[in-house]
């Protein structure tokens, strides 16, 4: 299942691992992405830690880890093609894969319908 | 990342048109202004360099300095600037600086001497939006009683910038004889306007000064031309950064002097010789002996942009300056920045580093503009 945070990250979890990226709404708000600073593989992130930084033409924006876990992979394609975040934010433009420390943290996330309603209130 | 609907913000006469065009509105200098339209900053930036972009710059301050005769008005403006306005020809405009008695910069301004009757008794000035109130008070205190500074209400200002701007304008206004920094009172499809061949993108282009009530009709006419797209403040900023043009409040302010800011061209030879401009003693000393710091262009290796406030370091890691404007240059296709560095590191080609969140980005002090200006000048130089 895919969950969303109020900071516009998405997280797709399964089998003790989770993939994290930013939502379609987030990439639209950021505009043209020119650089993505990804975490080191092996880095241990706590829920809410700054996991990545997205640089658009306009500004730098932080991406927070939605859960606690260890980084087990990052999407190196974004280094050469940062605009992939704009083209495919919720699929090919993923940021990182985490080993999930506490599956209960996933319970607090919004599902797609709840996130859509949340975005409509902004 | 939230939309702003602050009721205290002012709107320009094009606010409804911006929304119709899908603009994302942001607060800027007390106005709700479009930061981008549906195309996005990158596409808007590139379109301006390739064809023609239309900017709403109605937030800028349009002022009129009027007096009994031209010489009196020019002399009055010269008391607060280092420019030579006594010798400004009718139909021409100049970039200038309002300066404190200490030789620092109150604002950077455009000053036009209208051709015809208005140019016999006055000058037209454009102030930065965020400085209008400060400038009005500052200039006001230095005027003789016979000279008045007025900011007529209900005005609008459009900028049409890019290599195709001339083709578009010629379909509506007789601007074919104009060259860079010319000003002309004319008509646009029969509507009275003032036009200058100027702008803040480094491209050829025009700025149109008109009644607020006429702005939407003229903007729609221009947008209906196949070469023209609407362009927001986001691309305006990346365009002026690539053009090496300073932005008041970021690259210049009341703590910087024109010599530090690499704007000494605004100090006219006549005023230098007479040493009669604000802060002349300090400025002439700086021209002779140099300054402790200098505004420079910065080219950054890789793709990670450095933003305003980032520290500039020498190869030993010691701070030697600070970035004042920075971002990704869509035409350069690389990050570019400007900032102040110590004189010892200000020479072209010097290697420095910029700290961005603990990363040190290899950076070279580089000539500006980063993208060559394409003004259509009246004469060489």
């Amino acid at each position: 299942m895919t969950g969303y945070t109020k900071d516009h990250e998405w997280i797709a979890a399964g089998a003790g691992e989770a993939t994290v990226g930013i939502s379609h709404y987030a990439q639209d708000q950021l505009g043209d992405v020119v650089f993505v600073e990804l975490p080191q593989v092996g880095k241990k992130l706590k829920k809410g830690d700054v996991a990545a930084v997205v640089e658009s033409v306009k500004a730098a924006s932080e991406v927070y880890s939605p859960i606690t876990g260890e980084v087990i992979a990052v999407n190196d394609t974004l280094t050469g093609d940062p605009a992939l975040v704009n083209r495919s934010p919720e699929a090919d433009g993923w940021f990182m894969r985490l080993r999930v420390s506490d599956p209960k943290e996933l319970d607090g996330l919004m599902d797609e319908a709840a996130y859509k309603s949340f975005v409509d209130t902004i | 990342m939230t939309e702003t609907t602050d009721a205290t913000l002012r709107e320009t006469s094009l606010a409804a048109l911006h929304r119709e065009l899908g603009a994302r509105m942001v607060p800027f200098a007390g106005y709700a202004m479009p930061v981008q339209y549906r195309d996005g900053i990158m596409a808007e930036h590139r379109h301006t360099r390739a064809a023609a972009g239309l900017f709403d710059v109605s937030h800028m301050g349009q002022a009129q300095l009027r007096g009994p005769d031209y010489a009196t008005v020019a002399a009055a403006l010269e008391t607060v600037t280092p420019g030579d306005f006594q010798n400004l020809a009718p139909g021409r405009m100049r970039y200038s600086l309002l300066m404190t008695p200490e030789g620092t910069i109150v604002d950077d301004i455009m000053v036009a001497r209208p051709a015809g009757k208005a140019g016999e008794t006055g000058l037209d000035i454009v102030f930065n939006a965020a400085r209008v109130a400060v400038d009005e008070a500052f200039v006001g205190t230095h005027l003789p009683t016979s000279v008045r500074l007025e900011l007529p209400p209900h005005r609008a200002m459009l900028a049409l910038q890019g290599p195709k701007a001339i083709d578009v304008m010629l379909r509506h206004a007789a601007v074919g004889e104009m060259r860079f920094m010319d000003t002309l009172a004319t008509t646009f499809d029969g509507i009275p306007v003032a036009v200058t061949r100027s702008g803040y993108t480094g491209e050829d282009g025009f700025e149109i000064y008109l009644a607020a009530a006429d702005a939407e009709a003229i903007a729609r006419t221009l947008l209906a031309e196949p070469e023209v797209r609407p362009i927001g403040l986001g691309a305006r900023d990346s365009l002026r950064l690539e053009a090496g043009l300073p932005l008041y409040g970021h690259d210049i302010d009341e703590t910087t002097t024109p010599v530090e800011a690499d704007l000494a061209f605004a100090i006219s030879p006549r005023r230098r010789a007479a040493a009669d401009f604000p802060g002349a003693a300090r400025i002439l000393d700086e021209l002779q002996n140099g300054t402790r710091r200098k505004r420079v262009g910065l080219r950054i290796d890789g793709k990670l942009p450095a933003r305003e406030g980032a520290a500039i370091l020498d190869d030993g890691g010691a701070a030697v300056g600070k970035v004042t404007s920075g971002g990704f240059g869509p035409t350069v296709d690389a990050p570019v920045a400007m900032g102040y560095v110590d004189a010892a590191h200000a020479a072209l080609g010097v290697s420095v580093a910029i700290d961005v969140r603990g990363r040190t980005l290899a950076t070279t002090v580089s000539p500006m503009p980063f993208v060559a200006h394409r003004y259509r000048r009246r004469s060489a130089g």
Side-chain angles (χ1 to χ4, degrees):
Chain A
M1 73 128 223
T2 300
Y4 293 84
T5 71
K6 286 190 170 176
D7 296 314
H8 309 285
E9 293 92 14
W10 58 263
I11 176 164
E17 292 182 12
T19 306
V20 176
I22 65 169
S23 71
H24 176 78
Y25 174 85
Q27 71 75 26
D28 183 58
Q29 289 293 307
L30 292 170
D32 306 296
V33 174
V34 296
F35 189 89
V36 182
E37 191 171 293
L38 294 165
Q40 295 281 330
V41 171
K43 185 168 185 177
K44 293 190 170 69
L45 294 167
K46 285 204 276 295
K47 181 182 173 180
D49 281 355
V50 174
V53 179
V54 185
E55 297 269 1
S56 69
V57 181
K58 210 160 43 182
S61 306
E62 294 176 333
V63 175
Y64 307 102
S65 185
I67 58 163
T68 301
E70 181 184 341
V71 179
I72 53 174
V74 295
N75 187 359
D76 289 322
T77 313
L78 298 182
T79 308
D81 185 12
L84 188 57
V85 176
N86 295 117
R87 297 198 306 275
S88 181
E90 301 196 21
D92 296 345
W94 63 278
F95 279 35
M96 58 182 177
R97 207 159 282 144
L98 298 174
R99 181 171 296 121
V100 180
S101 296
D102 178 6
K104 282 201 193 75
E105 284 180 350
L106 296 164
D107 298 341
L109 299 165
M110 289 178 274
D111 64 14
E112 196 174 349
Y115 177 68
K116 195 173 175 303
S117 308
F118 168 68
V119 164
D120 287 342
T121 65
I122 297 171
Chain B
M1 299 216 316
T2 52
E3 297 283 323
T4 301
T5 51
D6 188 335
T8 64
L9 291 175
R10 298 173 69 186
E11 291 191 332
T12 74
S13 53
L14 298 182
L17 178 60
H18 295 317
R19 295 200 169 88
E20 183 184 316
L21 293 167
R24 187 165 296 158
M25 306 298 281
V26 298
F28 184 83
Y31 283 82
M33 296 298 289
V35 67
Q36 65 169 81
Y37 299 87
R38 291 191 186 99
D39 292 347
I41 294 172
M42 196 90 90
E44 291 172 23
H45 177 114
R46 291 191 172 127
H47 183 86
T48 304
R49 294 238 188 274
L54 180 69
F55 303 73
D56 178 13
V57 285
S58 301
H59 58 310
M60 301 197 76
Q62 296 180 52
Q64 298 179 340
L65 199 60
R66 295 288 183 269
D69 55 75
Y70 183 74
T72 304
V73 172
L77 189 60
E78 287 187 0
T79 64
V80 286
T81 64
D84 180 357
F85 295 105
Q86 292 181 28
N87 294 301
L88 180 61
R92 294 287 291 160
M93 76 191 297
R94 262 182 205 153
Y95 175 83
S96 194
L97 303 166
L98 296 179
M99 285 171 62
T100 66
E102 293 74 41
T104 64
I105 303 171
V106 176
D107 199 4
D108 63 336
I109 61 176
M110 297 298 288
V111 182
R113 181 177 183 186
K117 204 124 189 85
E120 291 169 18
T121 55
L123 289 163
D124 294 341
I125 307 176
V126 178
F127 296 135
N128 275 300
R131 300 296 287 176
V132 170
V134 171
D135 293 353
E136 192 177 7
F138 178 75
V139 175
T141 58
H142 289 83
L143 294 180
T145 51
S146 64
V147 178
R148 307 174 311 280
L149 181 72
E150 287 166 2
L151 282 97
H154 312 303
R155 300 289 296 166
M157 182 173 167
L158 303 173
L160 187 71
Q161 299 282 297
K164 303 288 187 193
I166 178 65
D167 300 339
V168 172
M169 284 296 284
L170 283 172
R171 291 170 209 149
H172 306 279
V175 297
E177 298 299 311
M178 294 183 76
R179 292 295 178 269
F180 183 58
M181 300 295 257
D182 281 355
T183 179
L184 182 70
T186 183
T187 57
F188 184 107
D189 290 346
I191 299 165
V193 295
V195 176
T196 57
R197 196 159 187 172
S198 59
Y200 222 59
T201 60
E203 298 296 322
D204 183 27
F206 296 85
E207 292 174 297
I208 307 168
Y209 314 78
L210 68 175
D214 295 327
E216 187 173 330
I218 289 182
R220 284 185 188 278
T221 298
L222 288 169
L223 289 167
E225 297 288 358
E227 299 94 335
V228 181
R229 300 285 301 159
I231 312 294
L233 290 181
R236 183 171 164 84
D237 193 51
S238 55
L239 288 159
R240 71 92 198 164
L241 174 63
E242 283 186 342
L245 302 169
L247 181 62
Y248 196 89
H250 300 265
D251 309 303
I252 49 176
D253 58 29
E254 288 194 20
T255 71
T256 58
T257 72
V259 185
E260 291 174 331
D262 199 22
L263 299 173
F265 70 88
I267 306 163
S268 80
R270 195 198 105 222
R271 305 295 304 281
R272 277 185 212 203
D276 65 348
F277 57 90
R282 173 182 180 176
I283 299 303
L284 293 172
D285 175 72
E286 288 184 353
L287 285 169
Q288 184 97 40
N289 302 313
T291 54
R292 292 211 337 251
R293 58 176 186 166
K294 198 94 189 165
R295 183 174 68 98
V296 297
L298 301 159
R299 278 185 188 261
I300 300 163
D301 288 1
K303 292 286 182 186
L304 176 56
R307 311 282 178 181
E308 181 175 0
I312 303 170
L313 314 173
D314 66 13
D315 45 18
V320 295
K322 202 173 257 190
V323 171
T324 51
S325 282
F328 193 83
T331 303
V332 177
D333 195 30
V336 288
M338 58 178 85
Y340 286 86
V341 293
D342 294 351
H345 296 85
L348 296 181
V350 169
S351 292
V352 291
I354 300 179
D355 177 84
V356 177
R357 299 184 294 272
R359 289 189 184 212
T360 47
L361 309 181
T363 301
T364 308
V365 174
S366 302
M368 290 194 286
F370 299 107
V371 173
H373 294 164
R374 296 197 286 180
Y375 305 137
R376 298 295 300 273
R377 293 182 189 276
R378 184 159 288 285
S379 55

